[in-house]
Structure formats: C-alpha cells, structure tokens
Amino acid sequence: MIDRNPHFTKEEIQKMLSAGIIDEKRAAELQAQVIQATAGSGSTIVQGTGNTVATGGGLAAKEIHGNITINNILNHYIAESGQSVDKAVLQKQITDYLKWVVDRHGTIELRGIKRKGEQVVQLDLETVYVPLAAKTARDGQRLSLDNVLPQGKHLVITGGPGSGKTTVLQHMAYTLAQAAVADGFILAEQKLGVSKPLPLPIFVPLSHFARYRRSLPPGTPGEQKTLAAFISDFLQGKQAPFNLPRDFFKQLLQSKQNILLLLDGLDEVPNENERAKVRAAIEELLDGRGDNLRMVVTCRTAAYKGQTAIGKGFREIEVLPLDESHIKNLITQGYTSIIKNDKNERAAKIDDLIAAIKKLEATRRRQYGDKAQPLITSPLLVRMLLIVHYSNNKLPEQRAELYQKATDGMLKPDYNPDAEIATRIGGLVGENENVHREMAQYVAYHMHRRGERQGREIDESGLRDILRGHPVYAQYTEDFIELTRQRGTLLEERLRQYRFLHLAFQEYMVARYFAEVIRSEDAIVRELEAGLLTDSWWREVIILITGYLSIDNPTAAAKFVRRLAGLETPSPGLSDEQRLAAAELAGASLLDWTTAPAALRNEVSRLLAKFFAEAKSPERRVEIGDFLAKYGDPRPGVGVRAGVPELAFCYIPAGDFWMGDDNGDKDERPQHLQKGLDYGYWLAKYPVTVAQWRAYVAARHKPYDEDSLRGAANHPMVDVTWYEAVAYCEWLTKEWRAKELIPAEWVVRLPSEAEWEKGARGGVEIPVERVEVVIGRDRFMVEPSIARIPNPKPKRRYPWGAEIDANLLNYDETGIGTTSAVGAFPGGRSPYGCEDMSGNVWEWCSTKWGEDYPFKVKNEWDVAYLGGDNPRVLRGGA
C-alpha cells in the first residue's frame, strides 16, 4: 500500500512513546486518528501527515519522507547532476543514510564493564544523554546545551577535554535523523529547539580533513582540497549501506539546501598552521551560501584562539564544568542503562557512587583549598568512575589507583569478539592482558617523549617503528595494531592515526612505565632532572609515579619522593628553578598520596619553607607561598596546632612615637608626637590566616560570609566583619587560657589605632634586637628587658620608610591581583618585625571612628568595645 499519508499501528505509537520519539500529547493526537483499514489486512492504522508508511499484515515496508526538505534535495540533485536518476531509489538512499546516522550516533560505548560477558557495553544515547550547562562567550549568558541551535546559524562549541562536545554533536545528528525517520518534528523541536523545515545533519571529524589534505599528491586541483570534497569522500568511504551517488554530498554542500554541518574537533588538527588552513576552508564553504548551510564546530577552549578562531559571524558557546546536579544525572542515567531490571541494586549503586565522589572532592578541597578546581568536571571522567565503581563495587580514593582500575578493565579480553587476538598478544605471560598493557605503556612513554606538540597522536608508521624497536614486542606489533583498529582499548585509531582515549590515560601509562620498567628511584629522578622537572607536560606523570608506587610499595614511593625533593643528597648542577620545581612536585605527589607518612609530609613542607625564606624576589615568594598553602605551611605563627591557632607575636615597647601624616588624607593630619602609650604590648607578627579562622569556625561560629573560608590556608582572612574579629579574639583568649598558654589576666584583642600605628612605623626609640614569641609552641612571655636606641626614621610614612616600592608590599602595582601568603614581602616589615602592615589586606582596629584627629589614646582600648554602631578604624591598605 502506497499512500501520501503515514499510518501507524497502536503498537508503533506505543513504541515511539516508550522510546521518547514522541511525547504523550503527540501520542494522544495519533491515537485519536486511528481508523480501521479497509485493505483486507485487518490491521489498525493511524493516519498522520507528511510521510508514507505502510503497516499491517503483508504490506510494504516503510517508505519515509520526513520533515526534512527531501523533495528539495531530490529535485536539486536531479537537476544539477545532469544524470538520469530514479527518484524513488534516491529517496530510499537518503532514508538509508538517515537510518545510518541514527545507528552510528545513537550509542555511547563503555569499555571495561563486565556485564554478562560483555566487555564493551553500548549505552543508548537517548537514555544516558544529559544536557549540560554552557555560556555564551560574548556576554556570559547561561544556557543548556540542548538549546544551542537557536543561538545562531553558525556556532563554535568550546570546552575542555572530555567535556561532552562530541556527544552534543552526536545528539544533534541522532535527534534530527531520528525525527526524520519517525516524522517526529515535535521531538526535534523539544530536544533541540529547531523549527521547520528540519535541516539534514552531516557529522564529520575535522582531524580527518587535515589528514585528507596532507595525503593529496602535489598538483591536486584546488577543488579536491575543499571541505566539500573531503566530506563527500569521507562519508562515501565508510562502507555505509546508503549507497548514495559519489558526488551527492559534494553537490548538496555546494547548493543552498537546508543542511546542518557538524564539524567535530578543530583542536585535533595537529598544529596551528594546519588549523588555520582548516579554519579558512570552513569559511570558504560558507561563502555565498547564507543561512541555509548551518554549522556547529567543536574545539577545545585552549586551542580556540589566534589563527584558529573562525570569522563569518560564528558565535562561541563554552561548555561549563559539571556541577553536582549534572554528575548525579549522568550517574543516574548511566546506571539506568547498565542495570535495567533490579531497581534496588540500581538505586544503591547510584547513591554509593555519588557519595564516593563527594568524599573524593571533599578530600581534594582539604588538600588544595576550597578554591581548588574539582577533580570530576567532565562526562568522560564520570564515565570512567562509573566503569570502575560498577566493576569493583567501590571507588578508589587515589587517582593512580583509579586509573589502574579503569585501564585494567579496558584491557581485559573477557568474552570479546577480538579475544583471540588479545590472547595472542598475551601469549608469553599466561595468555592474559599483561603484554598488551606493557606494550601500551611502552607506546605511551615514547609518545610522551615527543613533547606536548607532537606527543598526543602518532601515525601508524610511527607506531610500528616504536614497537618494532623492542626485542619482545616486535613480534606482536601487527596484532597490537589490529586489535586497536577493531576494538580500541586504551588507544583508538582514526584513519591510521593513534591516540589514547584521554591524555590522563597516557600520562598514567607513562608513570607506570617509569615505575615498572626503569624501576630504580634514582634512575627515574635522574631522567626527570634531565629537563623534565620544569616542563608542565610532565607534571601529571611525575605525580602519578608516586601514586602508582604507593598502591603496592609505599616504601618505594617514599624513597622516590625523598630523592625527587633532594632531601638526602641533592643532585649537583641543578638550577634554583629546578630544585624548587622538584620540591613542589614532591609536595604535589604527597597530596595525591592520601596515606603518605606524616613525617615525610613535614619534611617536604619544611624544605619548601626554606625555599620561601631564601627566595630573592617577591614573585617567587608568592609562588612558593601558594605551594605551602596546599602542602602545609610549617612556619611558626601561620597555622593551627591541635585545633587551636598558633600565632607569632612581636614585642612593642612603651614609649613615644610619631602618629599621623601631614601629607596624607585629612583624617591623618596633623602629624604629632604621641606620648600616650606608657605600656609595652605584643602585636601579632602576621595577619590572622584563613587556616586560623577556619579553626574558629569549626569550633563554634557560623561565618557572616561563607567566602571568608575560601582563601588559601596561609593567606590573610578576608570578608570578616568587625564584630566577628572581636568574637574571634574573645574565643582565642578563652582557648589559650584553658591551655595555660597565657596568664589568666592576659587578653587577646584588636589593637587600637595608636597601637597598630606604632607597631607599623616604630617609636622614637626602637629595640636593638626584635623580640618574638609563638603562642601555641611556647608559654607567653612577660615584658622583656631590651636595649633601645634612637629610631633613625621616627617619622617614616610606611613601615620601611618614605617611598613606596612594589617589591615591599602586595598592592595594585605589584600585579598579583589577589592576596598573598603572609610574610611574602619581608622587606616591608616594620621595625619591630611585624609583617604585611602595608598592603595585602585591610586590618581592623578597636578604635571607633571619629571626625576629630588626633585622638586621645591613653587607655583607649578599655572603652573600645563599648556598644553602638560607630564605624571602626581600618588600617594597612590592600
């Protein structure tokens, strides 16, 4: 039966509803159109619009037109080709193409899951796809990735590796093709926000286009170098079942037909020169075609700049890192597809993995600070965790162990069509995957040695050269390549180009090679010292070496860290930069090794503190200070001991001092000799740090502003009210008295403005030697007996003198742009040894603000805490 209207049975309607092709509203509309067939088949059919579908006993198979402008495409091709074309045959070929798109892009693979003998689990795209968050690059407008197409005719989707860019294009191609096959315009409208007529989707990877251009012989006509020529060649070379004419796609792209061209991976074009040529080819294809040729291009954010950025009015949409709701949805959808029948098991797995990820991230925040980027930020990493969690019933806390579990799962040949090949590869070691793994890590090491520009991908010839150069692996080279082509595993093949599924797997396998093949801690470090310590391309590898060793051999891991840091016998000939890089990498390795010995952590932290004290430039001290914030700052007076802040204090003796500034703001005039301070006192050496503030919050206080907890541990706290500062001092007084760290009559409080200013600029007389004490390590001291001499600069404007200098304080001109670790500018300390009294952060004083100046300061602090809403004095600058 051939008709100009579609007919669906009730069963078909229910199937489309269950599959999500139509919604309940559309299903009800179709059910309302049910009529009894009169063709003698006895089947119930539904009459719709736009397609020709025959159903029922003995009737013809579906012949589908869909909402795509197929008639226009047909008529255009027939007119332009100048050939005798059977329209019905061409129509079927286009339909077959759409079905191929649905089949090709309708699933996502999970490798490494052992489910009923399956090694590669195919997850239905419709089930597992979760629209992620994005923002427009121009104005920062947030949107969902299922609402991208309405943002413009020509778009670039940028994001980090594994952020889901390719999956977005797959979803677009799959949804449009599926909508055409099922006459599901409403489906496309709801899921993609597109309007009639639906565009024809064409999905191609741009890395293949770059290789296609390189493979063309010299003298190739320019027309054959075009993107249109490549797309036609690429799609026709897929051995796909649609059998369209050889020039079909080329003709289509040169027309003004309604097409959505999905171009994946502009960043995967190997170098910037080639990317510029590919970008130019994209722009040339658009010339003269207006809005009929719609395009969506994907590119990693880091690569989308300079000659790579596309003109022609392309609008950039940036994929945002996953938030908790996205992670939860991805896990839920993944386990819904993996565990289909047991809802209790499924719910338990989902809850357990979500809880494990929260614990993993909480540990990371404790190690790196609250402002550290989360570890799990991309769909690829969620899928990796899903594989490990499902296969092992738990999630390792260490990244190296996490990668170990993931790679082991991907390499196992259990019940796989390619098991025979995998067995041959592992034949020398008990017919298992060990040789395969060793070959993969050998390849990873030699690829990584090629450097960041060339180390991400290797052609087949280069891969053969690497493997054939090994005395054992040479005989398995072709088996390894054949398995990679057919099945993938850790590597994937794209038109004879090979790369690891994610750079993280390559880095892990390189670390494994160091640990398993080079083995000697001394030999590993010697190789790293030969130019790799300061190369960011090797950073993750070095950290993962420690992680891998710590899984089964913590003693070796500790030896490696000590040797790397130079704690025993530093290697001669290393520059200061290399020595610092090695120490910092040792610290980063210990952060990743959650069960590392505390004594080793302390040794590395003390070594970094030594670098901090010896650093000649403030820029280097700021850098090392941030390292110390992550790894634990051992400097006295900066951190916390046994849950109680440990503060360093400098002694400020009694005596006269000059206060105010004739050249400053009117609130500081006139400068005058202040004779009121007839007592000595102790002033904190550093501003109160974030770590010390967190101890107070953990003990009893809900902060007014949660942002006060987010700074680096050894930076000064910010976003704290005056009342909170007062309450902190009262709490600290009680804690120290209870631990007998200060006498019962002593009190911790904010300084008055006069006390602060004398501590910053010095008195008429200053001590011959500075006197310091650390409360938390020592008992508090009474007023010391000290010798004093006349102050050579009693009227200094700043703690160091009269002139401001960007090397002496953290302020705008220093260029840091945020707070820095306390004590990072020792050249700006006061005559009494107090740090950061100019720059970094403003500091609260107890003194109430008054319009009259100068104030009476004798015993001022006795009344400073009286109530009222008077503003309080801030000093120090920021």
Side-chain angles (χ1 to χ4, degrees), residues 472-535:
V472 176
Y473 305 152
Q475 60 187 314
Y476 300 111
T477 298
E478 296 309 314
D479 287 338
F480 183 90
I481 290 173
E482 183 181 353
L483 177 60
T484 303
R485 282 185 196 155
Q486 293 183 17
R487 176 191 169 207
T489 55
L490 292 180
L491 285 94
E492 59 181 347
E493 179 266 342
R494 298 181 183 180
L495 293 181
R496 303 295 190 264
Q497 297 286 321
Y498 295 79
R499 66 164 52 202
F500 281 80
L501 293 175
H502 191 280
L503 182 60
F505 292 124
Q506 177 175 318
E507 291 166 332
Y508 164 75
M509 295 304 281
V510 178
R512 194 181 191 282
Y513 178 87
F514 272 105
E516 292 290 339
V517 179
I518 300 179
R519 299 184 71 85
S520 160
E521 295 86 13
D522 188 63
I524 293 172
V525 174
R526 282 202 307 271
E527 181 166 342
L528 298 177
E529 289 175 342
L532 305 183
L533 292 174
T534 55
D535 187 346

Side-chain angles (χ1 to χ4, degrees), residues 105-106 108 123-133 144-148 157 163-172 174-175 191-192 326 329-330 332-334 337 379 383:
H105 299 296
I108 293 176
L123 304 184
D124 180 64
L125 181 66
E126 279 297 295
T127 303
V128 300
Y129 180 73
V130 174
L132 305 180
S144 173
L145 281 178
D146 58 356
N147 193 35
V148 167
I157 298 177
S163 61
K165 303 181 296 296
T166 298
T167 305
V168 172
L169 297 196
Q170 282 186 269
H171 185 251
M172 291 177 182
Y174 170 79
T175 302
K191 294 191 174 183
L192 299 177
H326 292 131
N329 287 340
L330 285 166
T332 301
Q333 301 294 66
S337 188
R383 289 183 195 134

Side-chain angles (χ1 to χ4, degrees), residues 106-221:
T107 57
I108 293 176
E109 289 185 351
L110 281 187
R111 298 180 179 274
I113 286 184
K114 295 180 286 185
R115 184 183 71 176
K116 295 181 180 179
E118 294 177 279
Q119 179 68 17
V120 181
V121 175
Q122 300 280 350
L123 304 184
D124 180 64
L125 181 66
E126 279 297 295
T127 303
V128 300
Y129 180 73
V130 174
L132 305 180
K135 67 177 181 180
T136 57
R138 179 178 299 175
D139 54 17
Q141 175 190 349
R142 290 180 67 94
L143 66 151
S144 173
L145 281 178
D146 58 356
N147 193 35
V148 167
L149 289 178
Q151 301 301 315
K153 301 292 186 180
H154 306 133
L155 304 171
V156 175
I157 298 177
T158 61
S163 61
K165 303 181 296 296
T166 298
T167 305
V168 172
L169 297 196
Q170 282 186 269
H171 185 251
M172 291 177 182
Y174 170 79
T175 302
L176 288 171
Q178 185 192 51
V181 171
D183 191 22
F185 166 69
I186 294 177
L187 170 79
E189 184 179 43
Q190 290 178 341
K191 294 191 174 183
L192 299 177
V194 295
S195 57
K196 291 183 180 179
L198 301 183
L200 180 77
I202 299 176
F203 182 110
V204 292
L206 287 172
S207 59
H208 291 29
F209 175 46
R211 287 195 288 274
Y212 165 85
R213 287 176 60 98
R214 288 198 300 270
S215 68
L216 295 174
T220 299

Side-chain angles (χ1 to χ4, degrees), residues 827-858:
R829 65 168 60 105
S830 81
Y832 301 112
C834 297
E835 306 271 3
D836 295 344
M837 298 199 76
S838 187
N840 218 0
V841 293
W842 290 100
E843 300 178 12
W844 284 117
C845 296
S846 63
T847 304
K848 294 179 182 180
W849 181 260
E851 295 300 327
D852 296 328
Y853 189 86
F855 305 112
K856 293 180 180 180
V857 297
K858 187 180 177 76

Side-chain angles (χ1 to χ4, degrees), residues 103 115 124 149 158 205 214 241 285 351 375 440 443 457 459 475 507 551 604-605 630 671 684 701 779 849:
D103 182 65
R115 184 183 71 176
D124 180 64
L149 289 178
T158 61
R214 288 198 300 270
L285 184 59
D351 291 344
L375 178 64
V443 169
E457 189 173 76
D459 60 25
Q475 60 187 314
E507 291 166 332
I551 296 171
V604 172
S605 292
K630 298 175 184 177
Q671 188 177 66
H701 176 72
R779 294 289 299 270
W849 181 260

Side-chain angles (χ1 to χ4, degrees), residues 225-391:
K225 298 178 181 179
T226 64
L227 185 54
F230 158 73
I231 292 170
S232 182
D233 181 84
F234 174 78
L235 292 172
Q236 296 291 353
K238 284 294 180 184
Q239 299 180 352
F242 44 81
N243 296 319
L244 282 161
R246 293 290 301 179
D247 64 343
F248 175 79
F249 289 102
K250 185 176 179 181
Q251 289 277 6
L252 190 62
L253 288 163
Q254 291 174 345
S255 72
K256 292 187 177 181
Q257 300 305 305
N258 191 22
I259 298 167
L260 177 60
L261 187 54
L262 304 168
L263 303 175
D264 189 35
L266 180 56
D267 60 286
E268 293 184 6
V269 178
N271 59 64
E272 192 169 354
N273 289 336
E274 283 194 279
R275 284 198 295 270
K277 293 177 182 178
V278 171
R279 182 262 307 155
I282 293 171
E283 295 174 348
E284 289 167 4
L285 184 59
L286 281 175
D287 286 340
R289 290 174 177 81
D291 291 342
N292 289 310
L293 179 54
R294 304 179 66 171
M295 279 192 193
V296 182
V297 182
T298 65
C299 184
R300 290 190 186 185
T301 306
Y304 193 68
K305 58 187 177 182
Q307 293 298 311
T308 303
I310 309 173
K312 299 291 183 182
F314 270 77
R315 189 177 187 189
E316 183 182 352
I317 308 290
E318 183 177 356
V319 182
L320 296 174
L322 299 181
D323 60 27
E324 285 190 16
S325 65
H326 292 131
I327 293 172
K328 181 178 180 180
N329 287 340
L330 285 166
I331 292 170
T332 301
Q333 301 294 66
Y335 265 130
T336 298
S337 188
I338 296 169
I339 305 175
K340 297 182 178 179
N341 299 321
D342 191 332
K343 65 178 182 180
N344 292 328
E345 180 189 6
R346 180 170 65 240
K349 288 278 192 182
I350 291 170
D351 291 344
D352 187 65
L353 180 52
I354 291 172
I357 290 176
K358 287 182 178 179
K359 182 179 178 181
L360 185 70
E361 296 292 10
T363 301
R364 181 176 171 81
R365 286 194 296 273
R366 285 197 301 272
Q367 294 171 333
Y368 289 91
D370 287 339
K371 290 187 177 180
Q373 290 295 317
L375 178 64
I376 310 304
T377 58
S378 71
L380 179 68
L381 289 171
V382 173
R383 289 183 195 134
M384 185 183 74
L385 297 185
L386 196 65
I387 292 168
V388 174
H389 186 261
Y390 180 81
S391 299

